[in-house]
Amino acid sequence: MRKDWDAYFMDIAYKVAERSTCPRLRVGAVIVKDKRIKGTGYNGSPAKLPHCDDDGCYMINGHCKRTIHAEMNCLLETTPDERKGATIYVTHQPCTECQKLIITSGITRVVFSKAYEPEINWFDYAPHIEVIHLG
């Protein structure tokens, strides 16, 4: 049976996650508009800085602060026009900071696979954003 579009693009997000350089959690993201991939991102260190795989995770309050999140990297790779009305596929539910960036970016649909309960779910306050947990 042929996969639906959400399953197809989520599979690609998981493939993108394989590029992650943080062994704690490998996350991938894909921005799609009109069934076309506009950008991808994975969690990794800023350009020209050491990666967790090389120098270890930089932990503060149980979170690695060395990496840029997959969603942020994906947003940085796309233009405002590409994001407007687009869908972002993420292997894991976005954290509160990524949620705020997604809401502001013009993306109107978020599809994620693995649930993560952030301290605040900003998507609850953004009725213009459709959120789908594929589970």
Side-chain angles (χ1 to χ4, degrees):
M1 177 183 235
R2 189 174 185 190
K3 289 182 180 184
D4 66 26
W5 287 108
D6 285 344
Y8 172 74
F9 288 119
M10 187 58 71
D11 283 352
I12 294 170
Y14 273 100
K15 201 64 176 166
V16 171
E18 292 177 10
R19 290 277 309 150
S20 172
T21 61
C22 183
R24 287 191 69 247
L25 188 62
R26 299 193 189 276
V27 180
V30 180
I31 292 177
V32 175
K33 186 172 181 179
D34 300 325
K35 297 185 177 76
R36 301 283 185 244
I37 294 172
K38 300 301 180 180
T40 64
Y42 53 86
N43 54 330
S45 296
K48 300 180 180 147
L49 294 182
H51 294 285
C52 298
D53 284 343
D54 301 326
D55 284 10
C57 294
Y58 185 71
M59 301 297 293
I60 298 176
N61 296 326
H63 296 281
C64 180
K65 299 298 184 181
R66 187 180 297 281
T67 63
I68 298 173
H69 288 189
E71 302 93 324
M72 292 182 201
N73 274 324
C74 199
L75 291 168
L76 286 168
E77 193 174 289
T78 56
T79 67
D81 284 342
E82 290 172 324
R83 294 188 299 261
K84 186 177 181 180
T87 298
I88 187 167
Y89 293 87
V90 190
T91 57
H92 296 70
Q93 182 175 353
C95 71
T96 56
E97 293 304 309
C98 288
Q99 286 181 17
K100 291 188 284 185
L101 290 172
I102 290 166
I103 289 166
T104 303
S105 75
I107 285 174
T108 55
R109 191 165 177 265
V110 178
V111 181
F112 68 92
S113 180
K114 295 182 181 179
Y116 159 80
E117 288 304 320
E119 54 275 9
I120 299 170
N121 189 347
W122 289 108
F123 293 142
D124 289 343
Y125 302 97
H128 63 288
I129 306 274
E130 179 186 9
V131 179
I132 298 168
H133 178 201
L134 288 183

